[in-house]
Amino acid sequence: MKVKFLAASGIIAALYIAVTMLVAPFGFTEVQFRVSEIFNHLVAFNPRFAVGIIMGVFISNLFSPLGPYDLVFGVGQTMITLGLLIVICKFVQNIWARLIINTFLFTCTMFIIAFELNLALELPFLWTWLTVAAGEFVVLAVGAPIMYMLNKRLNFKNMI
């Protein structure tokens, strides 16, 4: 692995962790606004960013009050959804379409997190799916234009 790739992945993971910890009370409950999820959009620009995001999710979830549940379900949901996005991006070239697809993919796959919260905290599945999906949708919908503008300045495709 190249040093540049490792460094970029570490920086993405560190940013994800830092932003998650800033809003920790709102990132591990049935109503989640995990602002760090905005970094998921990086994969729409360059699939290699997935490594740093997954590392960031894993390390952030080490601090979760749900313990092993969040390590399995939270990291699993991120890996599955980013994997789907990477496959879809091979067929979709338009960056706005990718960002929109990513927003809806993560919103829909929040059923995995709802299932986790149902198992761990006995929260009602459908209501929890609605609340965590709504939080994810808001973060990613607001984050899409932000990441688009950052990309114009930083050119994520060529960073790693």
Side-chain angles (χ1 to χ4, degrees), residues 15-109:
L15 286 168
Y16 188 99
I17 295 161
V19 174
T20 298
M21 293 305 135
L22 281 174
V23 293
F26 306 105
F28 297 106
T29 62
E30 68 273 11
V31 178
Q32 294 188 8
F33 287 99
R34 193 182 274 202
V35 179
S36 51
E37 290 288 288
I38 192 174
F39 295 115
N40 292 333
H41 282 312
L42 288 171
V43 176
F45 299 98
N46 187 335
R48 297 185 71 188
F49 284 119
V51 173
I53 295 165
I54 292 166
M55 288 181 351
V57 171
F58 179 83
I59 295 169
S60 294
N61 287 354
L62 288 172
F63 301 97
S64 169
L66 299 178
Y69 283 107
D70 237 358
L71 289 174
V72 172
F73 290 96
V75 175
Q77 185 259 354
T78 300
M79 291 174 67
I80 289 166
T81 309
L82 289 178
L84 288 170
L85 179 65
I86 290 167
V87 170
I88 291 169
C89 285
K90 291 181 181 184
F91 304 101
V92 177
Q93 298 305 312
N94 182 283
I95 195 61
W96 273 112
R98 289 178 174 195
L99 293 170
I100 291 167
I101 289 166
N102 188 46
T103 299
F104 283 104
L105 274 176
F106 268 94
T107 299
C108 291
T109 60

Side-chain angles (χ1 to χ4, degrees), residues 8 33 46 83 93 141 145 152 155-156 160:
F33 287 99
N46 187 335
Q93 298 305 312
K152 283 188 170 283
N155 193 9
F156 295 133
I160 59 174

Side-chain angles (χ1 to χ4, degrees), residues 135-154:
E136 187 78 359
F137 179 79
V138 168
V139 168
L140 290 174
V142 169
I146 294 169
M147 296 306 279
Y148 183 82
M149 296 305 289
L150 283 173
N151 179 59
K152 283 188 170 283
R153 177 86 169 142
L154 302 173

